[in-house]
Amino acid sequence: MEETLDSTNEVIYPEAEDIDSLLDFAFLCKEQRNYSMSLKAFRHALKLYPDNEAAPFLVIEIGTILKNEGLYDEAIRLFSEAKNLPSLQNDPILEQEFISTVAYLRIVKNVLLQHRLGFISFNNIPNAIVKEIDDEFKEWRNLVV
C-alpha cells in the first residue's frame, strides 16, 4: 500500500478517522510489512485518541515496530511518556509492564553498545547477545520483586 499525501505532504489516512478505521488501516499496513506507514497510522491514532482505552495497546504496537527497527531510544521515550496515559492511571499491572519494558529496552541498548553493535534491529541481534540481555533482565526483575 503506497502512502497517499495531500498538498502539504501530510499522510492521508482513511476518510473516516475513527479509531477503528485507523486501526484497521494500521494493521493492514503492518500485515503487508509496510512498517513505516503502519507506524505513522498507529501514531496518528494515538495522537487523536490518547484517552481511548486502546491507547496503551497502540503504544505497544508502536514500541514493537520501533524495537524491531532498532530505534531503542525512541521506544524508551515512548513507553516512558505513555505512563501518563489516562488509561494507565488505573491499571497498575499494565503500568508496571511499561516500566519493565523500559528497563528491558535500556538493557538491550546498553548491551548492544557494550558489544559495539550499534542499534541493530532486534531481530538481527545474535542469539548469544539475546541470552545476555535476557539474563541481565532476569537479574533486574529479581531486584525489583
Side-chain angles (χ1 to χ4, degrees):
M1 178 173 287
E2 288 184 33
E3 293 183 16
T4 306
L5 305 175
D6 67 10
S7 60
T8 62
N9 283 337
E10 290 290 315
V11 176
I12 299 172
Y13 298 98
E15 279 184 38
E17 285 199 357
D18 62 273
I19 192 162
D20 292 331
S21 297
L22 282 169
L23 291 180
D24 288 345
F25 179 72
F27 281 111
L28 177 64
C29 291
K30 185 178 173 186
E31 227 175 75
Q32 295 173 345
R33 298 177 189 248
N34 185 345
Y35 300 115
S36 173
M37 183 54 113
S38 178
L39 183 60
K40 288 176 185 176
F42 282 127
R43 281 184 168 155
H44 188 64
L46 183 60
K47 181 181 172 186
L48 291 178
Y49 301 100
D51 297 338
N52 190 288
E53 62 185 18
F57 304 101
L58 295 173
V59 170
I60 292 168
E61 289 294 335
I62 294 166
T64 300
I65 293 170
L66 293 172
K67 179 184 84 170
N68 290 340
E69 296 293 322
L71 300 170
Y72 303 107
D73 285 333
E74 201 172 331
I76 289 166
R77 197 169 29 258
L78 170 76
F79 280 101
S80 296
E81 291 171 1
K83 290 186 289 184
N84 297 321
L85 288 171
S87 50
L88 243 66
Q89 301 305 308
N90 298 320
D91 192 339
I93 293 170
L94 194 53
E95 183 181 11
Q96 182 56 51
E97 202 53 45
F98 276 35
I99 292 167
S100 295
T101 300
V102 168
Y104 186 80
L105 291 167
R106 285 183 175 151
I107 291 169
V108 169
K109 175 185 166 185
N110 291 335
V111 170
L112 290 176
L113 289 173
Q114 288 169 2
H115 289 277
R116 297 187 174 140
L117 291 173
F119 295 117
I120 63 173
S121 66
F122 189 77
N123 297 329
N124 290 326
I125 299 173
N127 290 337
I129 306 292
V130 171
K131 183 180 180 337
E132 184 179 335
I133 291 166
D134 290 345
D135 289 346
E136 195 169 323
F137 182 66
K138 284 177 192 168
E139 265 184 56
W140 177 84
R141 277 224 189 242
N142 289 336
L143 292 173
V144 173
V145 177

